[in-house]
Amino acid sequence: MSQIKYLLFTFLSFMSLLVSAQKVDTTDAEVLKMRIESYITQSSFDIERTDYLSAKKNITKALDIAIKIDNKADEAILYTKLAQMQIVMGDQENALISLTKAMNIQRSINDYANLAITYNVKGTLHASLNDHKTALDYFNSSKTKFAENDLDAMISSVTLGEAKSYIALEDYSKAKSLLENTIVLAKKYEQDKILSSALVCSAQVQTYLKNYDAALNSARDGLTIASNNKYKDIEAAAYLVMSNIYQAKNDFRTSNDFLRKYVDLNEILQKEQKDNLSLSTPGVASNFSDADYNELKTKVEEQNKENSLTKIVSILSIALITILSLLTLSLYKNNNIRLKTNNMLHKKNDELVVAKERAELASKTKANFLSTVTHELRTPLYAVTGLTNMLLDENPKPEQIQHLKSLRFSGDYLLTFINDILQVNKIEANKVELDPELFNLQTKVGNVISALNNSALDNNVIIHYEYDKELPVNYVGDNLKISQILINLIGNAIKFTKDGDIWVRLKKIDNIGDTYNIRFEIEDNGIGISKEKQENMFESFSQGSIQINRKYGGTGLGLSIVKGLIEILKGRITLKSELGKGSMFIFEIPLTYSAKSAKEKINKPSKNFNELDLTNIKILVVEDNKINQMITKKILNKMNLQCDVVDNGEEAVERVKENNYSVVLMDIHMPGISGLEATKIIRSFDKDLTIFALTAVTLEDKMHEFDEAGFNDIISKPFKQEDFEKKLYHALADNQSSAAPIE
């Protein structure tokens, strides 16, 4: 349709020029003036078709004519239009020159109405350079000039630009007020493009202000207008904002759906932009000089480089969505296995023996299935989190930082989900072992509260801590599991309480000799739990209701894990709650009193690889996945450590025989011989070499295999980089310490 309009207009313009030229009383200047208007109109059609090169060509032709006939008003207008094209094409330097020429002419001829437009474009230019304070000065000047000339219809575009700058400056209250004015003006003057953009920006601001329902309404309205009018750039922005809204609401599935729509549409826009700026566009390159050609070619090449990071983010986003799909499938299969197991256990008495055997087989099958699936999930997740962290460390563009942080958040959330499923599986399979040690209970609980206090303050919640004076402080027990229980329960209390209080109380019930029965109470005055929902609260994937899950998020596994851990500690847990009046979780566990005082562990000096002699340090990475090879190697190189990389166990054994490595990072699942077998072979001729199992396998029943093979330690993928660096530092520091000569 736009092409037909374009051809029709060109024909009519030509006929108009022809007739005008034949009139006796029509001067050459008037004909040239009409040509200027024709070129300007043609450029408007070009902009509508996003053919910016053709638009720039027509504006340049019109500008040449305006200069030739000394038409200062049109000359200045055309310099402003040329600047707009230069900004779109990334040529900010020449855009500044064009705008300066336009402003000088408009001031000299007192053309304040068009000067207001130039000021607005100048503000847009400074905003594109992240100089938002200067941008706001020009926006304000533009708005003043429009008001003085009674051009209220033009003000909406200025207030929209102002709002965007205030968003960038994180002044959301001013941005909100400006966007409200923009929306009123845009509706009044039927400015659909400005209205849709303002609604999407308003949704962005409401998201920052945590007004998620209002944000969704604005985003949907903006998306509808953008879709109906084919404003693809605004449509893409709406998808991204809606993804962020649903992420903030912890609805990660819907968030990822919108993120995928954004990625797909953004790729189309990038392709269109690349095509429209391509030097191969028919009939375009021939109209430019060699200097113009080379200048534009350089800009296109630079733009392609900038687009590469966005493409990587897109690939990572799709990979994360794929992982989520795999996880959903694994949960579905796991649940089916579980249902089959329960059905088998309800067989008639005469089939009890057979049913028991089948149930054991089903349980074993489930464990093996989870082991395989979690490995397959954690391996690509290592690539997603690793690449995301690398991109964040490599000075991404400011507008890409939020996307990368969102991607990292989604990866961390998914990893937590996987770990929770694994822990539930370990508890159900009775494979969780106790690890008792001497600790100070009063200090341990205080540390947990301190760690969670920032989250509490975010919800305007105060945590009160009461420790029974009759209760000793030093015990022998598994303090890590106690910490995990408290983190879950206090964390839940914070999540479901806003503008309230939480009480953590420890009380002595009784003691028999050195065994003290201790009562822990975690009470809040939050939303509470209805009577009918309380019975199922400690079951896996239970969260009270679908509405609670959508509003507060979470996996529904926390309380199931808590109950399992408390039972392992030979305790029990109960719940008291009333809807709308808060909840109290009470658990009681026995602990063995110790007369010894729990001493604080002496922390080793903070890791600093600069303190080590890295001259002869060499590390062997054994990994068959090419992406993981690249990530691990890059992490090591950033630590100024050199490494060799091999992709199978056989070659790893040969390399160790031929070289003097300080550390070997050994993957477990590889083609040929596994990492376990390769390590056993290495240990037959080298007992002292430090070998870490770098693996996605985490099930407890595999631990004895790692010990038997001769690994020094295990680093689970995906790992936190600081944990990886800490283990590697201590290994190298210990090696150098043991190698130092005794004086």
Side-chain angles (χ1 to χ4, degrees):
M1 187 67 187
S2 60
Q3 289 180 341
I4 294 172
K5 286 164 61 182
Y6 172 73
L7 291 172
L8 180 62
F9 177 82
T10 303
F11 174 75
L12 292 174
S13 297
F14 175 77
M15 293 301 296
S16 176
L17 287 171
L18 187 62
V19 172
S20 298
Q22 291 175 345
K23 290 183 179 179
V24 176
D25 58 344
T26 301
T27 64
D28 291 340
E30 289 174 336
V31 173
L32 292 173
K33 170 71 173 174
M34 293 179 68
R35 285 184 183 174
I36 291 173
E37 293 173 356
S38 174
Y39 284 132
I40 291 173
T41 307
Q42 288 180 50
S43 71
S44 297
F45 279 117
D46 292 331
I47 293 169
E48 185 179 337
R49 295 182 293 119
T50 66
D51 189 351
Y52 301 122
L53 284 177
S54 183
K56 181 182 177 184
K57 177 188 70 173
N58 285 312
I59 291 170
T60 303
K61 286 182 178 179
L63 180 59
D64 290 341
I65 296 172
I67 293 172
K68 181 179 179 180
I69 64 175
D70 197 28
N71 185 333
K72 293 297 183 183
D74 282 350
E75 182 183 346
I77 291 170
L78 287 162
Y79 273 127
T80 301
K81 288 183 176 294
L82 180 61
Q84 288 176 301
M85 288 300 95
Q86 289 165 332
I87 293 170
V88 170
M89 298 170 72
D91 189 3
Q92 275 81 358
E93 185 176 345
N94 282 320
L96 182 60
I97 294 171
S98 299
L99 289 170
T100 302
K101 290 178 180 178
M103 287 188 294
N104 289 338
I105 294 171
Q106 286 161 345
R107 290 189 187 113
S108 67
I109 63 174
N110 299 324
D111 186 1
Y112 296 117
N114 284 306
L115 179 61
I117 296 173
T118 305
Y119 281 151
N120 190 19
V121 176
K122 188 82 185 303
T124 304
L125 171 64
H126 284 285
S128 72
L129 297 171
N130 291 321
D131 183 5
H132 294 288
K133 291 185 177 179
T134 305
L136 288 170
D137 289 339
Y138 278 102
F139 286 139
N140 187 54
S141 298
S142 174
K143 196 163 52 174
T144 302
K145 292 294 181 188
F146 280 135
E148 289 172 355
N149 289 273
D150 297 323
L151 296 171
D152 292 345
M154 305 294 291
I155 292 175
S156 58
S157 65
V158 184
T159 53
L160 178 59
E162 283 183 301
K164 289 179 178 179
S165 284
Y166 277 117
I167 291 172
L169 295 170
E170 300 182 358
D171 190 341
Y172 302 120
S173 60
K174 287 186 179 178
K176 181 174 179 290
S177 176
L178 285 163
L179 288 168
E180 289 170 353
N181 292 337
T182 304
I183 291 168
V184 170
L185 288 170
K187 286 180 178 178
K188 179 179 179 181
Y189 295 106
E190 299 180 351
Q191 299 163 327
D192 285 345
K193 190 162 190 177
I194 292 174
L195 177 59
S196 61
S197 182
L199 286 166
V200 172
C201 288
S202 178
Q204 184 181 0
V205 169
Q206 296 286 8
T207 304
Y208 285 122
L209 297 175
K210 299 183 178 181
N211 300 325
Y212 301 128
D213 291 337
L216 271 179
N217 290 333
S218 293
R220 285 171 182 153
D221 291 344
L223 178 60
T224 300
I225 297 170
S227 299
N228 291 341
N229 291 277
K230 297 182 180 179
Y231 304 143
K232 291 182 182 177
D233 53 337
I234 301 174
E235 190 177 349
Y239 286 142
L240 182 60
V241 170
M242 292 184 79
S243 174
N244 291 334
I245 295 169
Y246 280 109
Q247 179 179 300
K249 289 165 69 69
N250 294 323
D251 186 349
F252 298 102
R253 185 182 299 278
T254 308
S255 174
N256 279 317
D257 288 343
F258 279 108
L259 179 61
R260 188 157 195 164
K261 288 181 181 180
Y262 164 74
V263 169
D264 291 343
L265 184 54
N266 197 44
E267 285 184 351
I268 293 171
L269 288 170
Q270 286 180 6
K271 185 178 184 303
E272 288 180 355
Q273 187 178 22
K274 182 180 177 182
D275 291 343
N276 290 329
L277 295 178
S278 174
L279 296 175
S280 62
T281 303
V284 174
S286 59
N287 291 297
F288 288 87
S289 66
D290 290 341
D292 290 332
Y293 183 95
N294 293 329
E295 178 186 356
L296 191 54
K297 182 178 179 182
T298 302
K299 286 186 174 67
V300 172
E301 289 172 351
E302 289 175 353
Q303 187 179 24
N304 288 340
K305 290 178 182 177
E306 290 177 358
N307 288 341
S308 63
L309 180 59
T310 305
K311 288 180 180 177
I312 292 173
V313 174
S314 300
I315 292 168
L316 290 177
S317 300
I318 293 170
L320 190 60
I321 293 167
T322 304
I323 292 170
L324 281 167
S325 301
L326 285 172
L327 180 60
T328 303
L329 176 62
S330 71
L331 290 174
Y332 172 78
K333 288 187 175 181
N334 179 37
N335 196 46
N336 281 348
I337 293 169
R338 201 167 163 188
L339 287 173
K340 289 177 183 178
T341 303
N342 289 335
N343 290 336
M344 290 176 184
L345 291 174
H346 288 89
K347 293 285 186 180
K348 295 178 181 179
N349 291 335
D350 57 346
E351 298 175 347
L352 186 59
V353 175
V354 177
K356 183 179 178 183
E357 291 175 354
R358 289 179 180 175
E360 289 174 352
L361 178 61
S363 180
K364 186 175 181 180
T365 302
K366 184 181 78 170
N368 291 334
F369 171 75
L370 276 177
S371 176
T372 302
V373 168
T374 51
H375 177 269
E376 293 305 315
L377 287 172
R378 291 168 72 93
T379 298
L381 192 57
Y382 173 62
V384 171
T385 55
L387 285 172
T388 303
N389 286 323
M390 283 165 50
L391 291 172
L392 280 168
D393 290 339
E394 292 177 357
N395 298 319
K397 293 167 69 177
E399 61 269 26
Q400 292 166 332
I401 292 175
Q402 184 58 41
H403 305 335
L404 291 170
K405 286 183 177 179
S406 298
L407 191 60
R408 182 171 63 183
F409 172 83
S410 298
D412 290 342
Y413 176 84
L414 181 56
L415 180 59
T416 300
F417 195 11
I418 292 171
N419 289 337
D420 284 349
I421 293 169
L422 287 173
Q423 182 145 31
V424 169
N425 188 62
K426 291 174 192 174
I427 291 171
E428 290 178 352
N430 295 319
K431 290 182 177 177
V432 178
E433 297 179 358
L434 293 174
D435 184 20
E437 63 177 338
L438 179 63
F439 72 102
N440 185 308
L441 178 62
Q442 186 176 21
T443 302
K444 176 62 65 177
V445 177
N447 289 341
V448 169
I449 292 171
S450 296
L452 296 173
N453 198 47
N454 285 336
S455 297
L457 293 176
D458 288 341
N459 272 6
N460 197 23
V461 169
I462 299 174
I463 303 178
H464 309 273
Y465 179 28
E466 301 172 11
Y467 193 92
D468 192 339
K469 293 179 180 179
E470 296 183 7
L471 198 58
V473 296
N474 296 309
Y475 298 91
V476 174
D478 195 329
N479 70 91
L480 291 178
K481 290 181 177 57
I482 294 172
S483 296
Q484 189 175 356
I485 292 165
L486 290 170
I487 288 169
N488 265 295
L489 293 177
I490 300 173
N492 270 356
I494 293 170
K495 184 195 296 187
F496 297 112
T497 305
K498 190 170 181 63
D499 302 323
D501 295 89
I502 294 171
W503 294 267
V504 179
R505 308 183 188 95
L506 274 69
K507 300 178 180 179
K508 173 186 172 183
I509 300 174
D510 57 38
N511 69 290
I512 302 173
D514 289 338
T515 301
Y516 279 73
N517 289 311
I518 303 173
R519 176 186 175 100
F520 294 74
E521 296 177 357
I522 293 86
E523 182 181 3
D524 64 70
N525 52 13
I527 64 172
I529 306 166
S530 64
K531 294 290 184 183
E532 59 271 20
K533 299 296 182 183
Q534 291 180 26
E535 293 180 4
N536 302 319
M537 285 308 297
F538 295 103
E539 294 181 5
S540 297
F541 302 104
S542 174
Q543 253 201 337
S545 68
I546 294 173
Q547 290 76 15
I548 288 175
N549 177 266
R550 286 178 177 171
K551 183 173 183 179
Y552 295 97
T555 63
L557 294 172
L559 291 179
S560 175
I561 292 171
V562 163
K563 183 182 179 184
L565 292 176
I566 290 172
E567 289 175 351
I568 289 167
L569 294 172
K570 299 180 181 179
R572 63 189 183 91
I573 184 168
T574 55
L575 165 64
K576 295 179 181 179
S577 183
E578 187 175 345
L579 195 62
K581 295 185 178 180
S583 305
M584 181 190 291
F585 286 88
I586 304 160
F587 69 94
E588 299 171 2
I589 57 171
L591 285 174
T592 303
Y593 165 72
S594 174
K596 295 181 180 179
S597 297
K599 296 180 180 178
E600 293 292 326
K601 291 183 179 179
I602 300 173
N603 293 324
K604 294 185 177 182
S606 60
K607 59 184 181 300
N608 186 350
F609 284 89
N610 295 328
E611 298 173 0
L612 300 176
D613 181 7
L614 304 180
T615 308
N616 298 315
I617 297 295
K618 202 170 185 182
I619 295 172
L620 177 64
V621 178
V622 189
E623 169 68 69
D624 65 308
N625 185 290
K626 298 297 182 184
I627 296 177
N628 291 351
Q629 286 179 4
M630 181 266 290
I631 293 171
T632 306
K633 185 174 181 178
K634 193 151 191 175
I635 290 172
L636 291 171
N637 289 342
K638 282 182 69 176
M639 296 157 62
N640 296 320
L641 295 169
Q642 299 302 312
C643 67
D644 293 334
V645 180
V646 297
D647 60 5
N648 62 80
E650 292 92 338
E651 191 173 353
V653 173
E654 294 304 314
R655 288 291 188 98
V656 172
K657 287 180 179 178
E658 296 168 1
N659 297 274
N660 185 23
Y661 291 108
S662 304
V663 175
V664 175
L665 301 176
M666 182 78 72
D667 189 27
I668 299 302
H669 293 293
M670 292 183 295
I673 66 172
S674 68
L676 288 167
E677 293 169 328
T679 302
K680 288 177 183 178
I681 296 171
I682 292 171
R683 286 297 180 224
S684 68
F685 61 85
D686 192 334
K687 304 290 186 185
D688 299 324
L689 176 62
T690 300
I691 306 177
F692 287 130
L694 191 62
T695 176
V697 175
T698 58
L699 290 181
E700 295 290 340
D701 56 0
K702 297 285 183 184
M703 297 300 293
H704 71 280
E705 295 182 22
F706 295 140
D707 291 336
E708 290 175 0
F711 286 101
N712 295 84
D713 204 343
I714 299 170
I715 300 175
S716 295
K717 293 186 293 190
F719 52 75
K720 291 185 178 179
Q721 189 164 332
E722 56 267 29
D723 294 339
F724 174 77
E725 291 181 5
K726 183 178 179 181
K727 287 192 176 184
L728 197 55
Y729 170 80
H730 287 311
L732 295 175
D734 290 344
N735 287 347
Q736 291 191 2
S737 176
S738 60
I742 300 173
E743 296 182 357

